[in-house]
Amino acid sequence: MSKPVLKTEKLTKSYMLGKRSIPALSNLNLQVNAGEFVAIMGPSGSGKTTLLNILGCIDKPTSGQVLLDGVDVAALPESELYKIRRNKIGFVFQTFNLLPYLNARENVELPMEGKIKSKSERRRKASELLRMVGLSGREEHRPQKLSAGEQQRVAIARALANDPAIILADEPTGNLDARNKREIVGLLADLNVNQGTTIVMVTHDSHVAAHTERLLFLNDGKITKEKQGLHLAKKKAECS
Amino acid sequence: MGVVTRAVRNISRRKIRALLVIIALGFCMAIMISIPSGVIANQESTEALSQNLSSTITQTEASINQTLTQIECNLSPSMEGFGFAPPDSGSSGFSPSQSGSSSFTPGQFGGGTRPGGFGGGSFSVGGTTPMNESLYSGISSIDGVAAVAPILQVSEGQNQTITAPNGRTFTRLVPDYVIEGVPLTSDLVENYPILPSNITAGRNLQAGDSGVVLLSENNTAFFGVGVGDTVTILDQEFTVIGVHGSSGVSDTTTLYMNLSDAQSLTNNTGYITTLYVFANDSSIVTDVANAISSLHPELTVTTAQQRLAQLQALQSSYKTALENAEASISQTQAIALEEIIVVVAATSLIVLFVMLYTVRERTKEIGTLKAIGFSNWTVMSQFMIEGVLISLIAGVVGIAIATVAAPMLSSLLLPTVNTFGSTFAGRNSISGATSNLATVTVDPQLMLMAFGAAVLLGALGTLYPAWRAAKIRPAEAMKYE
Ligand SMILES: Nc1ncnc2c1ncn2[C@@H]1O[C@H](COP(=O)(O)OP(=O)(O)OP(=O)(O)O)[C@@H](O)[C@H]1O
Ligand SMILES: [Mg+2]
C-alpha cells in the first residue's frame, strides 16, 4: 500500500578503534513506510544511535545500502549529503541542541536559510510551525527562557522546517520529566496522525514507545524483535 | 538572520572574553600603527635636519667666498678700555649715554661677547668692545691692505635685572635692535661687502647717504614702519630707505646707517667696535693679519681663512650629525621591522587561539548545524566572519588607542633618533636642527592600512580554526555530554 521512505539492506557498520574493529550494526534490514511512526528500543550499546546516524546521513555505513526516498545515500559525497540532511531529514536530539543565542523563531528558521530565499517567508513559516507545536507567543524567547519540554517543542518545529520526508529522533524524551515526556510523544503522535509525518524514534522508555505504531528491538546490531504499538495502532485502525 | 548577525551575537555572547580579546588585539593594532608613525616622524625630522644643515652650510660658504679677503679686527674683551683716557680727564672715552637703556655702559655693551663672531653658521659683526677709531689709522698703511672699513655696532634694548639664586643681581640687555654704522664712502660701498646684499624693498644704502636707514624685516615690524616712512631711533628721525632680508652677513635685527650718523646718534663720536680690513689678494690675507696683530696685539684678528677652517670643522660636525641621524634611522627601521613582525605574528596567533578555542567550545553546536543541513562552506564562512569581525572591531579600538597613544607607544618601542653625538652634546649652535622630539601623528592612510591589516590578519588567524569547524562531524550533535 504505502511506499517505503526508508530502506536498508545488509546495513553493516563497524567502528575502528585503533586496530580493533567494533561491530555496531550487522546486516541490518529495515523498512519504514511513509506515514509510519516507528520506535527503536534496545539496551545501551546495541547500536540505536549508530543506526539513526546512518539513516540521517551524518555517518556512513561500512557496507550495505541505505535508500532514502529512493536514493542510495551511502554512496553520496558530503557535498550532496548536506542537502539531503537539509531537505529530507529532520533531527530531534536528546539534548534539544538549540542555539542559545537565537530566539525560538530564529532557531526554527535556521534550516530554511539555504532553502528559502525570502526572509519574511522564513519568518512566517517558523511562526506557523511554532504555533503548530503549541508555542504561539513564545517566538522571541531564547532557549534559556523556555522549559525543557518547550525547548524540545522548538526543536521539533525546527526539524519540520523544510518539510522533511522523515523525522529522526534520538531519545527525544530522555531529558524530560514524566509529564513532558507524555506531552512530547503526544505531539509527535499528533504530527504523525494529523500531518502524516514519518517518524523514527529511539527510546529506552516502554511507555513512550507504546505511543508508536511499530516497535523494533535492537540487540547487538541486529533487529531481534518487532511489535505493534498499543495506542497508535489501535487509533489508526479505528480511523481507517 | 544572516551569518553576520549570528557572528555578532556569538561575539557578544561572552562579553568579558570578547572585551579582553578585543583590547589585546586593539593594542597589537595600535602598536602596528604607532611604529610606522614613529618611523615616519623620525624620517621627517631627519629630513628637516638635513635641509637645515645643508642650507646653513651653503649660506655660510657663500658669505665666506664673498669675504675671502676680509679680515675682522675686534678689541679683545679683556682689553676693554684700551685707549681710554683716565676717567678723571672726562674729555674722551665713554660717557654715559643719555638714555638709561642705551647700551654703551661698560659691562653691558651688546648682547654678550662672541669671539670670532660665530653663531648659527652666519657671520655678524662680532666685536662689541668699543675701540678708539683714531688709534688704528696705522692699519691702512700696512702692506697689502686695500681698504679699511670702521664699523660701529650698538645694541639697543631693555635692561633686565636678573636675580641669581645666590641673591646677586645682574643687569642684562635684551636687545630690540642693533644699530650698525657703516662708512658710506663710494670706494667701500662699491667694492667691498660691507652692506647686506639682499634688499627686499626700497634700495640699499649708497655712498654719501645720511639721515636714512636700511632696516631689517624684523625692524620694520618692531618700529611699525615701511619704506619711505620716518622712523624715530633714540629720539632722532630717519627716513627708511630700504629693507633687507637676513643673509649670511647680516643679523635679522640689524639696521644700517652712515657711520657718522650712528656715532653721533649713540654719543660715540670717534668710537667703533669693529674694523674690517680688506687685503689686496686672498693669498696674502694671512700676512696682512699677522702684520695687524703685531702692530696691535690687543686686537682679535680673524681672517676668512680662519673662519673657513672653523666652517670646515663645523661642516664635518654637521656631516657627522647627518650620518648619525641616517644610521639611527636605518637602525630604527630595522627594529621597527622586527617589532612589526612580532606584532603581526602575535595578532594572528591571538586570533588563531581564540578562534580555535571557540570552535572547540562549540563543537556540539557546529555538529548540530551540520546535522540540520548546513554545508561545510556555510560553517566555515560563519567562523571566518566571526574572526574577521573581532579583528575589525579590534582595528577600530587600535586606531582609537593609536590616535591617543601613538607618540608614547612609538617612543617606548623605538629608539630616539640620536642626531648628535657626544661632541655636540649641550651645544645649541645649530638651533632648530636639534629636533629630537619628533612629532608622531597617525595619518589617515596609515589608519586605512591598519584596517586592511586587521581584516587580513583576522582572516589569516581564523582560516585554520574555521577549517577545523567545517571538518567537525555532524554526529557530534548526537553526543550526550
Ligand atoms: N564513534 C565511535 N567509535 C567507536 N565506537 C563507537 C562509536 N560510536 C559508537 N560506538 C560503539 O558502537 C556500539 C553502538 O553504539 P551506539 O551509540 O549506537 O549505542 P546505543 O544503542 O545508542 O547506546 P545508548 O543506549 O547508550 O545510547 C557501542 O558498542 C559503542 O561503544
Ligand atoms: Mg544512543
Side-chain angles (χ1 to χ4, degrees):
Chain A
M1 48 164 231
S2 44
K3 64 178 176 83
V5 170
L6 206 59
K7 197 171 181 216
T8 69
E9 248 163 83
K10 293 190 176 161
L11 178 60
T12 301
K13 173 74 180 179
S14 44
Y15 293 105
M16 293 301 293
L17 212 69
K19 286 245 161 87
R20 223 152 52 88
S21 163
I22 297 166
L25 299 172
S26 53
N27 289 316
L28 190 139
N29 295 316
L30 167 76
Q31 184 171 329
V32 178
N33 292 325
E36 262 197 306
F37 189 1
V38 179
I40 296 172
M41 296 190 76
S44 188
S46 57
K48 303 183 295 294
T49 299
T50 304
L51 175 62
L52 217 62
N53 284 354
I54 290 169
L55 298 181
C57 301
I58 62 175
D59 209 346
K60 290 209 163 196
T62 310
S63 66
Q65 268 197 333
V66 180
L67 289 162
L68 184 72
D69 238 8
V71 183
D72 185 4
V73 293
L76 291 177
E78 170 61 27
S79 57
E80 290 298 321
L81 283 179
Y82 84 87
K83 287 183 214 156
I84 302 263
R85 290 197 294 266
R86 185 182 67 196
N87 300 335
K88 304 216 161 187
I89 295 157
F91 266 109
V92 178
F93 308 94
Q94 181 176 355
T95 48
F96 323 136
N97 296 19
L98 298 175
L99 268 62
Y101 51 93
L102 303 183
N103 65 32
R105 200 197 60 242
E106 288 161 347
N107 266 291
V108 177
E109 279 181 51
L110 268 181
M112 303 183 207
E113 242 167 59
K115 211 184 171 193
I116 300 168
K117 288 273 172 291
S118 158
K119 220 173 175 172
S120 55
E121 171 61 16
R122 292 202 297 258
R123 250 181 114 108
R124 192 196 57 73
K125 190 161 185 195
S127 298
E128 193 195 303
L129 287 168
L130 283 170
R131 189 183 49 74
M132 202 158 93
V133 297
L135 286 179
S136 293
R138 308 300 299 271
E139 289 92 342
E140 306 295 326
H141 290 206
R142 291 205 182 176
Q144 67 263 32
K145 291 258 174 74
L146 302 170
S147 74
E150 286 164 344
Q151 286 186 53
Q152 195 62 301
R153 284 166 189 271
V154 175
I156 290 166
R158 181 179 64 185
L160 293 166
N162 287 334
D163 306 310
I166 190 164
I167 295 272
L168 300 173
D170 193 1
E171 305 202 32
T173 58
N175 274 17
L176 300 175
D177 59 28
R179 193 174 68 88
N180 275 314
K181 258 181 201 169
R182 256 182 279 115
E183 279 188 21
I184 289 298
V185 79
L187 173 65
L188 288 173
D190 281 352
L191 288 170
N192 174 255
V193 173
N194 302 329
Q195 317 284 324
T197 313
T198 313
I199 304 169
V200 175
M201 173 180 73
V202 167
T203 185
H204 272 302
D205 195 311
S206 52
H207 296 290
V208 170
H211 285 80
T212 67
E213 168 171 24
R214 186 153 65 104
L215 281 78
L216 301 176
F217 292 88
L218 216 60
N219 226 322
D220 282 336
K222 285 190 189 79
I223 294 172
T224 52
K225 202 163 76 169
E226 206 176 318
K227 243 170 75 172
Q228 281 239 312
L230 291 172
H231 315 303
L232 199 61
K234 256 188 238 161
K235 210 174 185 177
K236 281 194 175 175
E238 283 161 16
C239 285
S240 56
Chain B
M1 192 75 218
V3 246
V4 179
T5 327
R6 271 205 297 279
V8 173
R9 294 245 191 117
N10 252 317
I11 292 167
S12 57
R13 213 163 130 195
R14 291 189 171 73
K15 290 194 174 62
I16 303 283
R17 186 206 294 173
L19 200 74
L20 289 177
V21 170
I22 284 165
I23 287 171
L25 287 175
F27 263 100
C28 289
M29 302 286 178
I31 289 168
M32 242 184 273
I33 303 166
S34 301
I35 288 173
S37 305
V39 171
I40 289 168
N42 283 351
Q43 273 166 340
E44 276 168 1
S45 75
T46 309
E47 257 161 44
L49 173 79
S50 70
Q51 263 171 18
N52 203 327
L53 289 181
S54 58
S55 82
T56 308
I57 289 166
T58 323
Q59 218 176 66
T60 320
E61 254 169 1
S63 67
I64 273 292
N65 289 338
Q66 192 191 35
T67 57
L68 214 59
T69 57
Q70 185 179 325
I71 301 161
E72 191 184 315
C73 306
N74 305 115
L75 194 58
S76 310
S78 57
M79 293 291 177
E80 191 168 324
F82 183 87
F84 279 54
D88 55 330
S89 78
S91 59
S92 70
F94 284 83
S95 51
S97 309
Q98 67 268 58
S99 85
S101 66
S102 188
S103 62
F104 240 136
T105 325
Q108 57 177 62
F109 193 89
T113 53
R114 289 177 296 172
F118 220 92
S122 67
F123 293 101
S124 61
V125 180
T128 51
T129 314
M131 303 150 69
N132 191 332
E133 190 183 350
S134 62
L135 292 177
Y136 299 98
S137 55
I139 291 174
S140 57
S141 30
I142 289 173
D143 257 5
V145 171
V148 177
I151 305 285
L152 173 70
Q153 202 189 56
V154 181
S155 293
E156 290 295 334
Q158 299 302 314
N159 277 326
Q160 220 178 41
T161 305
I162 297 161
T163 309
N166 60 14
R168 282 181 62 183
T169 56
F170 297 91
T171 311
R172 198 176 64 126
L173 184 85
V174 181
D176 292 326
Y177 56 94
V178 178
I179 300 167
E180 187 163 327
V182 194
L184 297 176
T185 65
S186 56
D187 176 43
L188 286 168
V189 169
E190 281 153 33
N191 301 317
Y192 300 97
I194 55 166
L195 286 168
S197 52
N198 63 328
I199 301 303
T200 55
R203 66 162 176 84
N204 209 335
L205 290 173
Q206 289 172 355
D209 271 346
S210 184
V212 296
V213 282
L214 177 69
L215 298 182
S216 76
E217 277 158 0
N218 258 0
N219 296 148
T220 60
F222 176 76
F223 291 111
V225 292
V227 174
D229 291 348
T230 301
V231 60
T232 305
I233 303 167
L234 298 177
D235 298 332
Q236 221 168 301
E237 291 189 343
F238 291 87
T239 306
V240 180
I241 201 86
V243 178
H244 68 90
S246 68
S247 75
V249 276
S250 64
D251 224 351
T252 52
T253 53
T254 305
L255 59 88
Y256 294 84
M257 61 170 71
N258 195 324
L259 176 63
S260 52
D261 283 357
Q263 285 174 327
S264 64
L265 177 67
T266 60
N267 245 7
N268 288 312
T269 310
Y271 284 87
I272 55 165
T273 52
T274 299
L275 273 172
Y276 277 140
V277 179
F278 296 96
N280 279 325
D281 190 88
S282 62
S283 62
I284 58 157
V285 161
T286 316
D287 297 333
V288 173
N290 288 341
I292 296 167
S293 287
S294 55
L295 189 64
H296 292 290
E298 78 280 5
L299 289 182
T300 302
V301 180
T302 316
T303 64
Q305 273 88 350
Q306 282 168 325
R307 281 184 182 162
L308 198 62
Q310 280 176 302
L311 176 82
Q312 277 157 351
L314 194 63
Q315 207 167 3
S316 82
S317 312
Y318 285 154
K319 281 181 181 148
T320 315
L322 211 58
E323 277 161 19
N324 281 348
E326 271 151 17
S328 179
I329 277 288
S330 59
Q331 187 197 355
T332 305
Q333 279 169 336
I335 290 168
L337 188 69
E338 276 171 34
E339 286 172 348
I340 290 272
I341 289 168
V342 169
V343 171
V344 162
T347 308
S348 27
L349 279 179
I350 291 172
V351 175
L352 177 78
F353 285 120
V354 166
M355 289 311 289
L356 261 185
Y357 185 78
T358 309
V359 168
R360 261 194 67 162
E361 193 184 40
R362 282 157 60 189
T363 300
K364 188 166 180 147
E365 179 189 316
I366 296 160
T368 306
L369 287 174
K370 296 188 79 173
I372 65 172
F374 274 59
S375 66
N376 288 352
W377 169 247
T378 312
V379 169
M380 189 157 170
S381 47
Q382 170 84 66
F383 279 89
M384 288 302 291
I385 285 168
E386 211 174 302
V388 170
L389 206 66
I390 285 182
S391 43
L392 254 172
I393 298 167
V396 176
V397 171
I399 287 167
I401 296 173
T403 45
V404 178
M408 196 197 74
L409 283 173
S410 64
S411 73
L412 268 176
L413 293 160
L414 295 172
T416 9
V417 181
N418 181 18
T419 43
F420 297 101
S422 53
T423 47
F424 263 75
R427 191 161 168 182
N428 54 8
S429 58
I430 318 175
S431 53
T434 52
S435 50
N436 274 21
L437 280 168
T439 40
V440 179
T441 48
V442 181
D443 72 299
Q445 209 182 334
L446 212 59
M447 288 191 193
L448 224 70
M449 271 162 67
F451 236 66
V455 174
L456 210 73
L457 295 179
L460 199 74
T462 319
L463 212 56
Y464 175 66
W467 179 81
R468 283 279 296 261
K471 287 290 149 224
I472 284 174
R473 295 168 51 246
E476 295 288 343
M478 292 293 187
K479 292 242 169 86
Y480 178 60
E481 60 239 14

